[in-house]
Amino acid sequence: MAQRTRRTVRDLRRDSRAAVLQRLYFEGSMSRQELGPATGLSSGSVSNVVAELVAEGLVEEAGSVESDGGRPRTLLRVNPRSGHLIGIDVGETRVRIEAFDFTLSELARTERPLAENLYEVGVIVEHIRSGIEEVLAATGLPADGLLGVGIGVPGVVERDPLRGSVVHGQTIGWDAVPLEALLRESGGLPDSVPYFIDNGAKTLGQAEMWFGAGRGARSAVAILFGSGVGACLFPEDAPQGQALEWGHLTVHVGGRRCRCGSPGCLEAYAGAEAVLQRWQEAGGTPPEGVDEETRLTALLSAAAPQDGGEPDPAARTVIRETAEYLGAGLAGLINLLQPERILVGGWAGLQFGAGFLEEVRAHAVAYSLRHPAAKVTMDLGKLGPDAVTVGAATLPLADFLGRGGRGTTPVQEATPPAWRAALEDRVLN
């Protein structure tokens, strides 16, 4: 016999609070009368829930609007000062830490540059700890008032019941690193503040799906193009995204050795680190003594000079080959997953895509089946280099909204269907 799920009054109350809070968050100011049809709750339930949320400071009044033949209706909105979050991007060139208010407006930020190809775990943990301390000091926010800290990292993230989030980052030399436990041991935050750790491509994609180039898409693949390359699939009707180790798709049997140790990975040809190596091998002269982002800028400028000069042949050849490798890799995603939209982000993706996205798109179409290729669009992300940190901050935010703004124990399971429905309603309107 199938086990019957028993829902308590407390469960129903939490769901009602979540429904109201999510609607106000995603759709902006609404009246109590509008919240009833929008949430499916009775007018009495809406009044009770709103009264609770206002008393707790999560919701506030935001003026009024005239109604047809009646008294003006009071508008309600989420209170941006009702909670604070931190988003962190453990990237390939730096660790970026940002503090946000409840509506994800930035309050403070700091960065910690990383030495090239150096991802020593203790250094990263200290960067995160000191960065959190710095942004909290800059904003004057108390540490125990945080709703949570979200962190985007390279690699595969798994949840261990004893150690929390564990990171498998083969390309950066991380083998089952218990990052959450190490952060707890560092003593940076009270135990009441939850950590949410996930793949960086996933956090970038979630930010673009909520607030950027992915809004309105029923299915999408987000691409994180930096020193390496990664992706995240947001399938139709699924509760959350699924990170993909797309950079380790084999595109050349017996080809160049990838950072992961395998030959012929896409990342060995299309990641920024590999692209710069290929330019040097082809006779190019990348500038010395500067970071990877500056060197990629130099390569792109050499391949397509803005002053009308002649392009550097070696640079142009490398860029053309990179566009083709990226296009072929995207064709694999198009044929296998058939997304409605592909979003290209990451610091290298935004640089490269600004001048060469059309070449990538042409190669993707050439290597794809006609039917799925005709249905997909390809765009640059709209949130810029902060997309990973914004997306990381959405991890604790989604959990808090899904719990109706109550409790301190993070819910690590998949996002509930009601959350997905609220998000779809928001992005389609």
Side-chain angles (χ1 to χ4, degrees):
M1 177 181 291
Q3 186 175 1
R4 181 176 296 176
T5 302
R6 299 185 62 183
R7 292 176 56 78
T8 66
V9 172
R10 185 176 181 179
D11 293 331
L12 295 173
R13 196 68 176 172
R14 179 201 62 212
D15 292 348
S16 296
R17 288 169 57 97
V20 170
L21 203 53
Q22 289 165 7
R23 286 288 175 175
L24 291 175
Y25 193 91
F26 287 122
E27 298 189 21
S29 300
M30 301 178 72
S31 67
R32 291 172 176 80
Q33 291 81 359
E34 292 171 319
L35 280 168
T39 60
L41 300 174
S42 68
S43 59
S45 294
V46 168
S47 294
N48 291 335
V49 168
V50 166
E52 286 183 7
L53 296 174
V54 169
E56 294 168 18
L58 292 173
V59 169
E60 63 182 9
E61 295 186 353
S64 61
V65 292
E66 296 294 331
S67 61
D68 296 334
R71 293 185 302 173
R73 294 180 176 182
T74 300
L75 293 176
L76 303 162
R77 67 182 180 189
V78 294
N79 179 0
R81 301 171 300 282
S82 61
H84 303 91
L85 309 115
I86 287 178
I88 300 173
D89 174 11
V90 178
E92 297 137 331
T93 60
R94 61 177 57 87
V95 177
R96 177 179 286 128
I97 303 100
E98 296 185 51
F100 301 92
D101 69 11
F102 192 54
T103 59
L104 293 184
S105 295
E106 182 187 311
L107 301 175
R109 72 161 62 198
T110 187
E111 294 185 349
R112 302 288 190 270
L114 294 176
E116 192 167 351
N117 299 319
L118 182 61
Y119 299 93
E120 202 279 313
V121 175
V123 172
I124 299 295
V125 169
E126 176 56 23
H127 282 340
I128 293 173
R129 187 204 63 77
S130 65
I132 291 174
E133 185 178 83
E134 183 176 333
V135 297
L136 288 177
T139 58
L141 299 173
D144 57 5
L146 286 170
L147 300 181
V149 175
I151 306 174
V153 297
V156 178
V157 181
E158 292 182 338
R159 187 75 185 167
D160 184 281
L162 297 178
R163 300 184 295 171
S165 295
V166 175
V167 183
H168 303 269
Q170 188 167 322
T171 59
I172 61 172
W174 286 18
D175 183 13
V177 171
L179 183 58
E180 183 176 350
L182 293 173
L183 290 170
R184 290 288 179 205
E185 291 171 6
S186 74
L189 291 174
D191 289 342
S192 60
V193 178
Y195 286 98
F196 295 79
I197 302 172
D198 217 322
N199 177 270
K202 182 174 177 180
T203 66
L204 176 146
Q206 182 153 300
E208 292 288 352
M209 293 296 286
W210 282 26
F211 308 115
R215 292 184 61 182
R218 296 200 173 276
S219 64
V221 172
I223 304 300
L224 176 57
F225 177 14
S227 293
V229 289
C232 183
L233 169 66
F234 293 87
E236 188 172 355
D237 297 327
Q240 59 183 357
Q242 175 63 52
L244 308 171
E245 288 297 330
W246 177 60
H248 305 290
L249 173 76
T250 301
V251 295
H252 189 159
V253 175
R256 296 173 62 90
R257 187 69 57 178
C258 178
R259 296 188 301 175
C260 74
S262 298
C265 293
L266 174 63
E267 187 169 296
Y269 293 90
E273 180 181 309
V275 171
L276 291 167
Q277 290 174 354
R278 290 170 46 229
W279 183 29
Q280 191 166 14
E281 291 166 6
T285 55
E288 298 181 357
V290 296
D291 62 22
E292 195 169 75
E293 296 183 31
T294 304
R295 281 181 283 145
L296 182 62
T297 300
L299 168 58
L300 295 171
S301 297
Q306 298 300 307
D307 58 5
E310 289 296 319
D312 175 72
R316 185 60 187 144
T317 297
V318 168
I319 291 300
R320 282 177 173 167
E321 291 175 349
T322 302
E324 184 164 8
Y325 276 115
L326 284 170
L330 291 173
L333 296 177
I334 292 170
N335 289 338
L336 288 171
L337 306 175
Q338 300 185 25
E340 178 184 339
R341 197 173 299 177
I342 292 175
L343 314 172
V344 179
W347 64 265
L350 296 174
Q351 280 195 43
F352 192 92
F356 301 100
L357 186 62
E358 288 304 318
E359 288 189 38
V360 175
R361 183 185 286 112
H363 287 301
V365 170
Y367 282 101
S368 300
L369 294 171
R370 288 191 300 273
H371 181 67
K375 297 173 66 176
V376 68
T377 61
M378 191 180 304
D379 302 294
L380 289 180
K382 292 183 178 179
L383 301 182
D386 290 339
V388 174
T389 48
V390 173
T394 68
L395 301 178
L397 175 61
D399 177 83
F400 185 76
L401 293 176
R403 289 183 283 111
R406 276 186 169 168
T408 57
T409 303
V411 178
Q412 295 289 351
E413 301 88 47
T415 310
W419 171 256
R420 175 70 180 190
L423 175 59
E424 285 179 348
D425 286 345
R426 179 217 186 219
V427 299
L428 290 174
N429 294 319

